[in-house]
Amino acid sequence: MSLSEFSLIEDYFSKLTPTRQDVSLAIGDDCALLQCPPGKELAVSIDTLVEGVHFFADVAPRALGYKSLAVNLSDLAAMGAEPAWFTLALTLPEQNSDWLRAFTEGLALAAESANIQLVGGDTTRGPLTISIQVHGLVSSGRAMRRDGANIGDRIYVSGTLGDAGAALKKRLENWLPEMLDQSDWQYLQQRLEYPTPRYQLGQQILDYASSAIDISDGLLADLGHILERSHKGAVINVAQLPLSASLKKLPPQISLPLALGSGDDYELCFTMPASNVEALQKLGLDIHCIGEITAGSDLVLEDESGKVMNIDARKGYDHFGS
Ligand SMILES: [Mg+2]
């Protein structure tokens, strides 16, 4: 049964995605055989999504397939790696070829634009659980890490923050503020279900950044990881946080905690020496300077006038929190 289900995935998948030249042998043998080019390092990451913990039981299988891969691509983005190959381990409660077909379509949607090839996998019976391992390529010694931030570096984020968090808040709290209309909710829901992994941006900033991370658990929590690993502090000006048109409709006491604390946006947060700012800005990327790395270990928030705000800046989203 296990074999037939994975064959089904492979069958749907092979029609939907291109194959890569650097795959000597893909699905069907004991191992895949992959060619890592000289001068490159492999960037490897794995992520497991469990029903009821990481996603709702009623999520559309297509969106689930897309997001399962997208969150892994986001980790490659954070290292500046180019997506190459992935493997999939799927635990399914029942045999359902309609579900599998839709799941695979979503998976293929994320895979196709990233030019990443499915090279192996496995299916088992049990509560719905999706594990994906991605492999990316990055020039040896050049990957962006969390431990490279220096005092005076500027802190940047890509895109907009808090959008997925707003959609999640609606779902969890039945929150329906009058300022948001149908088109806002469509946009916010899209941001939650179909996040855009920034792997192209990751490769573009590689020559300029001193450290990077993807924002999966919220800006404060994820920037906190950079600070911890780099043994530095930071000051963030909340007036500089990039907000979507939808979040700008909300009062700051709602939009700011979303932008600072909510996860699932899968934007990049990175640091860069001030001397690189001009060169990077010439590329015209969708990035925004939100603050600066400091000595010490404090993460300080300032309002638009530079006044220090009294917010528990280290409190991010935690899957195992209360
Ligand atoms: Mg990550």
Side-chain angles (χ1 to χ4, degrees), residues 182-247:
Q182 195 56 38
S183 66
D184 292 315
W185 287 120
Q186 257 169 22
Y187 164 77
L188 297 171
Q189 190 65 25
Q190 180 82 8
R191 289 278 284 158
L192 176 65
E193 291 193 330
Y194 291 92
T196 307
R198 304 295 184 187
Y199 46 84
Q200 276 163 334
L201 179 68
Q203 294 167 68
Q204 286 169 309
I205 62 175
L206 193 55
D207 289 339
Y208 307 92
S210 52
S211 73
I213 193 166
D214 65 316
I215 305 177
S216 53
D217 296 339
L219 172 66
L220 295 180
D222 289 315
L223 175 59
H225 294 314
I226 288 183
L227 301 182
E228 209 172 296
R229 295 295 293 275
S230 300
H231 306 288
K232 298 290 182 299
V235 55
I236 299 291
N237 190 306
V238 300
Q240 305 303 320
L241 295 173
L243 300 180
S244 64
S246 297
L247 252 68

Short mmCIF file of all heavy atoms in Angstrom, two decimals, residues 182-247:
data_model
loop_
_atom_site.label_atom_id
_atom_site.label_comp_id
_atom_site.label_asym_id
_atom_site.label_seq_id
_atom_site.Cartn_x
_atom_site.Cartn_y
_atom_site.Cartn_z
N GLN A 182 -13.69 42.27 2.25
CA GLN A 182 -13.51 40.96 1.63
C GLN A 182 -12.16 40.82 0.92
O GLN A 182 -11.49 39.80 1.01
CB GLN A 182 -14.67 40.72 0.65
CG GLN A 182 -14.83 39.29 0.20
CD GLN A 182 -15.00 38.32 1.37
OE1 GLN A 182 -15.66 38.63 2.36
NE2 GLN A 182 -14.37 37.15 1.27
N SER A 183 -11.77 41.88 0.20
CA SER A 183 -10.52 41.79 -0.56
C SER A 183 -9.30 41.77 0.37
O SER A 183 -8.29 41.13 0.08
CB SER A 183 -10.40 42.93 -1.58
OG SER A 183 -10.30 44.16 -0.92
N ASP A 184 -9.40 42.46 1.52
CA ASP A 184 -8.33 42.37 2.52
C ASP A 184 -8.18 40.93 2.99
O ASP A 184 -7.06 40.41 3.06
CB ASP A 184 -8.63 43.25 3.73
CG ASP A 184 -8.58 44.73 3.39
OD1 ASP A 184 -7.63 45.13 2.71
OD2 ASP A 184 -9.48 45.47 3.81
N TRP A 185 -9.30 40.29 3.31
CA TRP A 185 -9.24 38.92 3.84
C TRP A 185 -8.73 37.95 2.79
O TRP A 185 -8.02 37.00 3.13
CB TRP A 185 -10.61 38.48 4.38
CG TRP A 185 -10.92 39.16 5.67
CD1 TRP A 185 -11.98 39.97 5.94
CD2 TRP A 185 -10.15 39.11 6.88
NE1 TRP A 185 -11.91 40.44 7.24
CE2 TRP A 185 -10.80 39.93 7.83
CE3 TRP A 185 -8.96 38.47 7.25
CZ2 TRP A 185 -10.30 40.11 9.13
CZ3 TRP A 185 -8.47 38.65 8.54
CH2 TRP A 185 -9.14 39.46 9.46
N GLN A 186 -9.08 38.20 1.54
CA GLN A 186 -8.56 37.34 0.47
C GLN A 186 -7.04 37.42 0.43
O GLN A 186 -6.35 36.40 0.35
CB GLN A 186 -9.12 37.79 -0.88
CG GLN A 186 -10.24 36.89 -1.36
CD GLN A 186 -10.96 37.49 -2.55
OE1 GLN A 186 -10.40 38.33 -3.26
NE2 GLN A 186 -12.18 37.06 -2.76
N TYR A 187 -6.55 38.66 0.48
CA TYR A 187 -5.10 38.89 0.45
C TYR A 187 -4.42 38.24 1.66
O TYR A 187 -3.42 37.53 1.52
CB TYR A 187 -4.82 40.40 0.41
CG TYR A 187 -3.39 40.74 0.75
CD1 TYR A 187 -2.36 40.56 -0.17
CD2 TYR A 187 -3.05 41.21 2.03
CE1 TYR A 187 -1.04 40.84 0.15
CE2 TYR A 187 -1.74 41.50 2.37
CZ TYR A 187 -0.74 41.31 1.42
OH TYR A 187 0.56 41.58 1.77
N LEU A 188 -4.97 38.47 2.85
CA LEU A 188 -4.34 37.96 4.08
C LEU A 188 -4.36 36.44 4.12
O LEU A 188 -3.39 35.80 4.53
CB LEU A 188 -5.05 38.55 5.31
CG LEU A 188 -4.95 40.08 5.44
CD1 LEU A 188 -5.86 40.59 6.55
CD2 LEU A 188 -3.51 40.52 5.70
N GLN A 189 -5.46 35.85 3.67
CA GLN A 189 -5.57 34.39 3.64
C GLN A 189 -4.55 33.79 2.66
O GLN A 189 -3.94 32.76 2.93
CB GLN A 189 -7.01 34.00 3.23
CG GLN A 189 -7.32 32.52 3.40
CD GLN A 189 -7.30 32.07 4.87
OE1 GLN A 189 -7.49 32.88 5.77
NE2 GLN A 189 -7.02 30.80 5.10
N GLN A 190 -4.38 34.47 1.53
CA GLN A 190 -3.39 34.05 0.54
C GLN A 190 -1.98 34.06 1.14
O GLN A 190 -1.18 33.17 0.91
CB GLN A 190 -3.48 34.99 -0.68
CG GLN A 190 -2.52 34.70 -1.81
CD GLN A 190 -3.01 33.59 -2.73
OE1 GLN A 190 -4.15 33.13 -2.60
NE2 GLN A 190 -2.16 33.15 -3.65
N ARG A 191 -1.70 35.11 1.91
CA ARG A 191 -0.38 35.23 2.55
C ARG A 191 -0.15 34.10 3.56
O ARG A 191 0.97 33.65 3.74
CB ARG A 191 -0.27 36.59 3.25
CG ARG A 191 -0.15 37.76 2.31
CD ARG A 191 1.26 37.95 1.82
NE ARG A 191 2.09 38.56 2.86
CZ ARG A 191 3.42 38.46 2.89
NH1 ARG A 191 4.06 37.79 1.96
NH2 ARG A 191 4.10 39.05 3.86
N LEU A 192 -1.22 33.66 4.22
CA LEU A 192 -1.09 32.56 5.18
C LEU A 192 -0.93 31.22 4.47
O LEU A 192 -0.10 30.40 4.85
CB LEU A 192 -2.32 32.53 6.10
CG LEU A 192 -2.39 31.37 7.11
CD1 LEU A 192 -1.25 31.46 8.13
CD2 LEU A 192 -3.73 31.36 7.84
N GLU A 193 -1.74 31.00 3.44
CA GLU A 193 -1.78 29.68 2.81
C GLU A 193 -0.74 29.49 1.71
O GLU A 193 -0.29 28.38 1.47
CB GLU A 193 -3.17 29.41 2.24
CG GLU A 193 -4.22 29.25 3.31
CD GLU A 193 -5.52 28.68 2.78
OE1 GLU A 193 -5.85 28.92 1.59
OE2 GLU A 193 -6.22 28.02 3.54
N TYR A 194 -0.42 30.58 1.03
CA TYR A 194 0.54 30.50 -0.08
C TYR A 194 1.67 31.51 0.10
O TYR A 194 1.82 32.42 -0.70
CB TYR A 194 -0.19 30.73 -1.42
CG TYR A 194 -1.13 29.60 -1.79
CD1 TYR A 194 -2.47 29.64 -1.43
CD2 TYR A 194 -0.66 28.50 -2.50
CE1 TYR A 194 -3.33 28.59 -1.77
CE2 TYR A 194 -1.51 27.45 -2.84
CZ TYR A 194 -2.84 27.50 -2.47
OH TYR A 194 -3.67 26.47 -2.79
N PRO A 195 2.46 31.37 1.17
CA PRO A 195 3.56 32.31 1.38
C PRO A 195 4.59 32.21 0.24
O PRO A 195 4.75 31.14 -0.34
CB PRO A 195 4.18 31.85 2.71
CG PRO A 195 3.82 30.40 2.81
CD PRO A 195 2.47 30.26 2.15
N THR A 196 5.24 33.33 -0.05
CA THR A 196 6.24 33.37 -1.12
C THR A 196 7.62 33.18 -0.53
O THR A 196 8.13 34.09 0.13
CB THR A 196 6.19 34.73 -1.85
OG1 THR A 196 4.85 34.97 -2.27
CG2 THR A 196 7.12 34.75 -3.05
N PRO A 197 8.24 32.02 -0.73
CA PRO A 197 9.60 31.85 -0.19
C PRO A 197 10.58 32.72 -0.97
O PRO A 197 10.54 32.77 -2.20
CB PRO A 197 9.89 30.36 -0.39
CG PRO A 197 8.94 29.89 -1.43
CD PRO A 197 7.77 30.81 -1.42
N ARG A 198 11.48 33.42 -0.25
CA ARG A 198 12.31 34.46 -0.88
C ARG A 198 13.68 33.92 -1.29
O ARG A 198 14.72 34.51 -0.97
CB ARG A 198 12.46 35.64 0.09
CG ARG A 198 11.15 36.24 0.57
CD ARG A 198 10.38 36.87 -0.55
NE ARG A 198 9.16 37.53 -0.06
CZ ARG A 198 8.23 38.04 -0.85
NH1 ARG A 198 8.36 37.97 -2.16
NH2 ARG A 198 7.17 38.63 -0.33
N TYR A 199 13.70 32.78 -1.99
CA TYR A 199 15.00 32.18 -2.33
C TYR A 199 15.75 32.99 -3.38
O TYR A 199 16.97 32.99 -3.39
CB TYR A 199 14.85 30.71 -2.76
CG TYR A 199 13.74 30.46 -3.74
CD1 TYR A 199 13.92 30.66 -5.08
CD2 TYR A 199 12.50 30.05 -3.28
CE1 TYR A 199 12.89 30.46 -5.97
CE2 TYR A 199 11.46 29.83 -4.17
CZ TYR A 199 11.66 30.05 -5.51
OH TYR A 199 10.63 29.86 -6.38
N GLN A 200 15.04 33.71 -4.23
CA GLN A 200 15.76 34.57 -5.19
C GLN A 200 16.41 35.74 -4.46
O GLN A 200 17.57 36.06 -4.67
CB GLN A 200 14.80 35.09 -6.27
CG GLN A 200 14.63 34.09 -7.39
CD GLN A 200 13.43 34.38 -8.25
OE1 GLN A 200 12.46 34.99 -7.81
NE2 GLN A 200 13.48 33.93 -9.49
N LEU A 201 15.63 36.34 -3.57
CA LEU A 201 16.16 37.45 -2.77
C LEU A 201 17.37 36.98 -1.95
O LEU A 201 18.38 37.68 -1.86
CB LEU A 201 15.06 37.99 -1.84
CG LEU A 201 15.49 39.13 -0.93
CD1 LEU A 201 15.78 40.39 -1.73
CD2 LEU A 201 14.42 39.41 0.13
N GLY A 202 17.26 35.79 -1.37
CA GLY A 202 18.36 35.23 -0.57
C GLY A 202 19.65 35.20 -1.36
O GLY A 202 20.73 35.53 -0.85
N GLN A 203 19.56 34.79 -2.63
CA GLN A 203 20.76 34.73 -3.46
C GLN A 203 21.24 36.12 -3.86
O GLN A 203 22.44 36.36 -4.02
CB GLN A 203 20.49 33.88 -4.70
CG GLN A 203 20.24 32.41 -4.35
CD GLN A 203 19.65 31.62 -5.51
OE1 GLN A 203 20.31 31.39 -6.51
NE2 GLN A 203 18.40 31.21 -5.37
N GLN A 204 20.29 37.08 -3.99
CA GLN A 204 20.67 38.44 -4.38
C GLN A 204 21.40 39.18 -3.27
O GLN A 204 22.24 40.03 -3.54
CB GLN A 204 19.42 39.22 -4.80
CG GLN A 204 18.90 38.80 -6.17
CD GLN A 204 17.51 39.38 -6.44
OE1 GLN A 204 16.60 39.26 -5.63
NE2 GLN A 204 17.36 40.03 -7.59
N ILE A 205 21.04 38.90 -2.01
CA ILE A 205 21.65 39.64 -0.90
C ILE A 205 22.92 38.97 -0.36
O ILE A 205 23.61 39.51 0.50
CB ILE A 205 20.65 39.86 0.27
CG1 ILE A 205 20.21 38.52 0.87
CG2 ILE A 205 19.46 40.67 -0.19
CD1 ILE A 205 19.32 38.66 2.11
N LEU A 206 23.22 37.79 -0.89
CA LEU A 206 24.33 36.97 -0.39
C LEU A 206 25.65 37.75 -0.32
O LEU A 206 26.41 37.61 0.63
CB LEU A 206 24.47 35.76 -1.32
CG LEU A 206 25.32 34.59 -0.90
CD1 LEU A 206 24.90 34.04 0.44
CD2 LEU A 206 25.21 33.49 -1.96
N ASP A 207 25.93 38.56 -1.32
CA ASP A 207 27.20 39.29 -1.37
C ASP A 207 27.25 40.48 -0.41
O ASP A 207 28.30 41.08 -0.22
CB ASP A 207 27.46 39.83 -2.79
CG ASP A 207 27.79 38.69 -3.75
OD1 ASP A 207 28.19 37.62 -3.27
OD2 ASP A 207 27.63 38.89 -4.97
N TYR A 208 26.11 40.85 0.16
CA TYR A 208 26.04 42.08 0.95
C TYR A 208 25.76 41.83 2.43
O TYR A 208 26.17 42.59 3.29
CB TYR A 208 24.93 42.98 0.41
CG TYR A 208 25.04 43.26 -1.07
CD1 TYR A 208 24.40 42.45 -2.01
CD2 TYR A 208 25.82 44.32 -1.51
CE1 TYR A 208 24.52 42.70 -3.37
CE2 TYR A 208 25.96 44.58 -2.87
CZ TYR A 208 25.30 43.76 -3.79
OH TYR A 208 25.43 44.00 -5.12
N ALA A 209 25.00 40.76 2.73
CA ALA A 209 24.51 40.55 4.10
C ALA A 209 25.58 39.95 5.01
O ALA A 209 26.47 39.23 4.55
CB ALA A 209 23.29 39.63 4.07
N SER A 210 25.47 40.24 6.31
CA SER A 210 26.38 39.64 7.29
C SER A 210 25.72 38.49 8.05
O SER A 210 26.40 37.63 8.61
CB SER A 210 26.86 40.72 8.28
OG SER A 210 25.76 41.41 8.84
N SER A 211 24.39 38.47 8.07
CA SER A 211 23.65 37.36 8.68
C SER A 211 22.24 37.38 8.13
O SER A 211 21.79 38.40 7.60
CB SER A 211 23.60 37.49 10.21
OG SER A 211 22.71 38.54 10.59
N ALA A 212 21.54 36.25 8.24
CA ALA A 212 20.15 36.20 7.75
C ALA A 212 19.38 35.08 8.43
O ALA A 212 19.97 34.11 8.93
CB ALA A 212 20.12 36.01 6.23
N ILE A 213 18.05 35.23 8.42
CA ILE A 213 17.14 34.20 8.94
C ILE A 213 15.81 34.40 8.22
O ILE A 213 15.53 35.51 7.74
CB ILE A 213 16.99 34.33 10.49
CG1 ILE A 213 16.31 33.09 11.08
CG2 ILE A 213 16.23 35.61 10.87
CD1 ILE A 213 16.45 33.02 12.61
N ASP A 214 15.01 33.35 8.13
CA ASP A 214 13.66 33.56 7.60
C ASP A 214 12.68 33.71 8.76
O ASP A 214 12.90 33.18 9.85
CB ASP A 214 13.23 32.44 6.65
CG ASP A 214 13.09 31.10 7.34
OD1 ASP A 214 13.97 30.75 8.15
OD2 ASP A 214 12.09 30.40 7.08
N ILE A 215 11.63 34.50 8.54
CA ILE A 215 10.70 34.82 9.63
C ILE A 215 9.56 33.81 9.62
O ILE A 215 8.56 33.97 8.92
CB ILE A 215 10.18 36.27 9.50
CG1 ILE A 215 11.37 37.24 9.44
CG2 ILE A 215 9.26 36.61 10.68
CD1 ILE A 215 10.98 38.69 9.25
N SER A 216 9.74 32.75 10.41
CA SER A 216 8.70 31.73 10.53
C SER A 216 7.95 31.86 11.84
O SER A 216 6.77 31.53 11.93
CB SER A 216 9.33 30.34 10.42
OG SER A 216 10.39 30.21 11.35
N ASP A 217 8.63 32.35 12.87
CA ASP A 217 8.03 32.40 14.21
C ASP A 217 7.73 33.83 14.67
O ASP A 217 7.32 34.02 15.81
CB ASP A 217 8.96 31.73 15.23
CG ASP A 217 9.13 30.25 14.94
OD1 ASP A 217 8.27 29.69 14.25
OD2 ASP A 217 10.12 29.66 15.40
N GLY A 218 7.95 34.82 13.82
CA GLY A 218 7.74 36.21 14.19
C GLY A 218 9.07 36.97 14.18
O GLY A 218 10.11 36.39 14.52
N LEU A 219 9.01 38.23 13.78
CA LEU A 219 10.24 39.03 13.65
C LEU A 219 11.08 39.03 14.93
O LEU A 219 12.29 38.81 14.89
CB LEU A 219 9.88 40.48 13.27
CG LEU A 219 11.07 41.46 13.28
CD1 LEU A 219 12.08 41.10 12.21
CD2 LEU A 219 10.59 42.89 13.12
N LEU A 220 10.44 39.28 16.08
CA LEU A 220 11.21 39.41 17.31
C LEU A 220 11.89 38.10 17.69
O LEU A 220 13.04 38.08 18.10
CB LEU A 220 10.31 39.90 18.45
CG LEU A 220 9.76 41.31 18.26
CD1 LEU A 220 8.88 41.70 19.43
CD2 LEU A 220 10.88 42.33 18.07
N ALA A 221 11.15 37.00 17.56
CA ALA A 221 11.72 35.70 17.91
C ALA A 221 12.86 35.35 16.96
O ALA A 221 13.93 34.90 17.38
CB ALA A 221 10.64 34.62 17.84
N ASP A 222 12.67 35.59 15.67
CA ASP A 222 13.68 35.18 14.69
C ASP A 222 14.89 36.12 14.69
O ASP A 222 16.03 35.65 14.63
CB ASP A 222 13.04 35.04 13.31
CG ASP A 222 12.13 33.81 13.26
OD1 ASP A 222 12.55 32.75 13.76
OD2 ASP A 222 11.01 33.91 12.73
N LEU A 223 14.65 37.43 14.79
CA LEU A 223 15.78 38.34 14.96
C LEU A 223 16.51 38.00 16.25
O LEU A 223 17.75 38.06 16.32
CB LEU A 223 15.29 39.80 14.99
CG LEU A 223 16.36 40.86 15.28
CD1 LEU A 223 17.48 40.83 14.24
CD2 LEU A 223 15.75 42.26 15.36
N GLY A 224 15.76 37.59 17.27
CA GLY A 224 16.35 37.14 18.54
C GLY A 224 17.37 36.02 18.34
O GLY A 224 18.40 35.98 19.01
N HIS A 225 17.10 35.12 17.39
CA HIS A 225 18.05 34.02 17.10
C HIS A 225 19.35 34.58 16.53
O HIS A 225 20.44 34.10 16.86
CB HIS A 225 17.45 33.03 16.11
CG HIS A 225 16.27 32.28 16.66
ND1 HIS A 225 16.27 31.71 17.91
CD2 HIS A 225 15.05 32.01 16.13
CE1 HIS A 225 15.10 31.12 18.13
NE2 HIS A 225 14.35 31.30 17.06
N ILE A 226 19.25 35.57 15.65
CA ILE A 226 20.46 36.21 15.10
C ILE A 226 21.26 36.86 16.24
O ILE A 226 22.48 36.70 16.34
CB ILE A 226 20.11 37.27 14.02
CG1 ILE A 226 19.63 36.57 12.74
CG2 ILE A 226 21.29 38.19 13.74
CD1 ILE A 226 19.32 37.52 11.59
N LEU A 227 20.55 37.57 17.11
CA LEU A 227 21.24 38.28 18.21
C LEU A 227 21.93 37.30 19.15
O LEU A 227 23.07 37.53 19.58
CB LEU A 227 20.23 39.15 18.98
CG LEU A 227 19.50 40.21 18.16
CD1 LEU A 227 18.57 41.02 19.05
CD2 LEU A 227 20.48 41.12 17.40
N GLU A 228 21.23 36.22 19.44
CA GLU A 228 21.78 35.20 20.33
C GLU A 228 23.05 34.59 19.74
O GLU A 228 24.08 34.49 20.40
CB GLU A 228 20.73 34.11 20.49
CG GLU A 228 20.76 33.36 21.80
CD GLU A 228 19.54 32.46 21.91
OE1 GLU A 228 18.41 32.98 21.96
OE2 GLU A 228 19.75 31.25 21.89
N ARG A 229 22.96 34.20 18.47
CA ARG A 229 24.11 33.53 17.83
C ARG A 229 25.25 34.50 17.55
O ARG A 229 26.41 34.11 17.49
CB ARG A 229 23.67 32.84 16.53
CG ARG A 229 22.68 31.70 16.75
CD ARG A 229 23.31 30.54 17.51
NE ARG A 229 24.34 29.89 16.72
CZ ARG A 229 24.11 28.95 15.81
NH1 ARG A 229 22.88 28.50 15.62
NH2 ARG A 229 25.09 28.43 15.12
N SER A 230 24.92 35.78 17.36
CA SER A 230 25.96 36.78 17.05
C SER A 230 26.45 37.49 18.31
O SER A 230 27.37 38.31 18.23
CB SER A 230 25.40 37.83 16.07
OG SER A 230 24.99 37.24 14.86
N HIS A 231 25.81 37.20 19.46
CA HIS A 231 26.14 37.86 20.74
C HIS A 231 26.06 39.38 20.61
O HIS A 231 26.98 40.10 20.96
CB HIS A 231 27.54 37.43 21.23
CG HIS A 231 27.69 35.95 21.31
ND1 HIS A 231 27.07 35.18 22.28
CD2 HIS A 231 28.35 35.07 20.52
CE1 HIS A 231 27.36 33.91 22.09
NE2 HIS A 231 28.13 33.81 21.03
N LYS A 232 24.93 39.85 20.09
CA LYS A 232 24.72 41.28 19.90
C LYS A 232 23.31 41.67 20.37
O LYS A 232 22.48 40.80 20.66
CB LYS A 232 24.85 41.66 18.41
CG LYS A 232 26.22 41.38 17.81
CD LYS A 232 27.28 42.32 18.33
CE LYS A 232 28.64 42.07 17.68
NZ LYS A 232 29.19 40.73 17.93
N GLY A 233 23.06 42.98 20.39
CA GLY A 233 21.73 43.50 20.65
C GLY A 233 21.21 44.21 19.42
O GLY A 233 21.87 44.20 18.36
N ALA A 234 20.02 44.81 19.53
CA ALA A 234 19.46 45.52 18.38
C ALA A 234 18.49 46.58 18.84
O ALA A 234 17.89 46.47 19.92
CB ALA A 234 18.76 44.55 17.44
N VAL A 235 18.35 47.61 18.01
CA VAL A 235 17.28 48.57 18.22
C VAL A 235 16.43 48.60 16.95
O VAL A 235 16.96 48.64 15.83
CB VAL A 235 17.83 49.97 18.61
CG1 VAL A 235 18.83 50.49 17.59
CG2 VAL A 235 16.70 50.96 18.82
N ILE A 236 15.12 48.48 17.15
CA ILE A 236 14.17 48.46 16.02
C ILE A 236 13.27 49.68 16.15
O ILE A 236 12.74 49.95 17.23
CB ILE A 236 13.26 47.20 16.09
CG1 ILE A 236 14.08 45.92 16.01
CG2 ILE A 236 12.18 47.22 15.01
CD1 ILE A 236 14.72 45.68 14.70
N ASN A 237 13.12 50.42 15.06
CA ASN A 237 12.15 51.52 15.04
C ASN A 237 10.84 51.01 14.44
O ASN A 237 10.78 50.68 13.26
CB ASN A 237 12.69 52.70 14.23
CG ASN A 237 11.80 53.92 14.40
OD1 ASN A 237 10.59 53.84 14.19
ND2 ASN A 237 12.39 55.03 14.80
N VAL A 238 9.81 50.93 15.27
CA VAL A 238 8.56 50.28 14.82
C VAL A 238 7.87 51.07 13.70
O VAL A 238 7.08 50.51 12.94
CB VAL A 238 7.57 50.04 15.99
CG1 VAL A 238 8.20 49.13 17.03
CG2 VAL A 238 7.09 51.32 16.59
N ALA A 239 8.18 52.37 13.57
CA ALA A 239 7.59 53.16 12.49
C ALA A 239 8.11 52.70 11.13
O ALA A 239 7.51 52.98 10.09
CB ALA A 239 7.89 54.64 12.70
N GLN A 240 9.25 51.98 11.11
CA GLN A 240 9.85 51.52 9.85
C GLN A 240 9.37 50.13 9.43
O GLN A 240 9.74 49.64 8.35
CB GLN A 240 11.38 51.48 9.98
CG GLN A 240 12.02 52.78 10.42
CD GLN A 240 11.70 53.93 9.50
OE1 GLN A 240 11.67 53.76 8.28
NE2 GLN A 240 11.41 55.08 10.08
N LEU A 241 8.58 49.47 10.27
CA LEU A 241 8.14 48.11 9.92
C LEU A 241 7.24 48.16 8.68
O LEU A 241 6.27 48.91 8.65
CB LEU A 241 7.37 47.48 11.09
CG LEU A 241 8.17 47.23 12.36
CD1 LEU A 241 7.25 46.77 13.49
CD2 LEU A 241 9.27 46.20 12.13
N PRO A 242 7.56 47.37 7.64
CA PRO A 242 6.74 47.42 6.43
C PRO A 242 5.40 46.70 6.63
O PRO A 242 5.36 45.53 7.01
CB PRO A 242 7.60 46.67 5.41
CG PRO A 242 8.46 45.76 6.22
CD PRO A 242 8.69 46.42 7.53
N LEU A 243 4.32 47.44 6.41
CA LEU A 243 2.97 46.88 6.56
C LEU A 243 2.25 46.90 5.22
O LEU A 243 2.39 47.84 4.43
CB LEU A 243 2.16 47.70 7.57
CG LEU A 243 2.70 47.80 9.00
CD1 LEU A 243 1.76 48.64 9.87
CD2 LEU A 243 2.88 46.41 9.62
N SER A 244 1.44 45.88 4.97
CA SER A 244 0.62 45.85 3.76
C SER A 244 -0.49 46.90 3.87
O SER A 244 -0.78 47.40 4.96
CB SER A 244 0.00 44.47 3.60
OG SER A 244 -0.88 44.22 4.68
N ALA A 245 -1.12 47.20 2.72
CA ALA A 245 -2.24 48.16 2.71
C ALA A 245 -3.34 47.69 3.66
O ALA A 245 -3.98 48.50 4.33
CB ALA A 245 -2.77 48.29 1.28
N SER A 246 -3.52 46.37 3.74
CA SER A 246 -4.57 45.83 4.62
C SER A 246 -4.22 46.08 6.09
O SER A 246 -5.07 46.52 6.88
CB SER A 246 -4.75 44.33 4.39
OG SER A 246 -5.19 44.09 3.08
N LEU A 247 -2.99 45.82 6.48
CA LEU A 247 -2.62 46.02 7.89
C LEU A 247 -2.57 47.49 8.28
O LEU A 247 -2.80 47.84 9.43
CB LEU A 247 -1.29 45.32 8.21
CG LEU A 247 -1.51 44.07 9.09
CD1 LEU A 247 -2.22 42.99 8.30
CD2 LEU A 247 -0.24 43.56 9.69
#
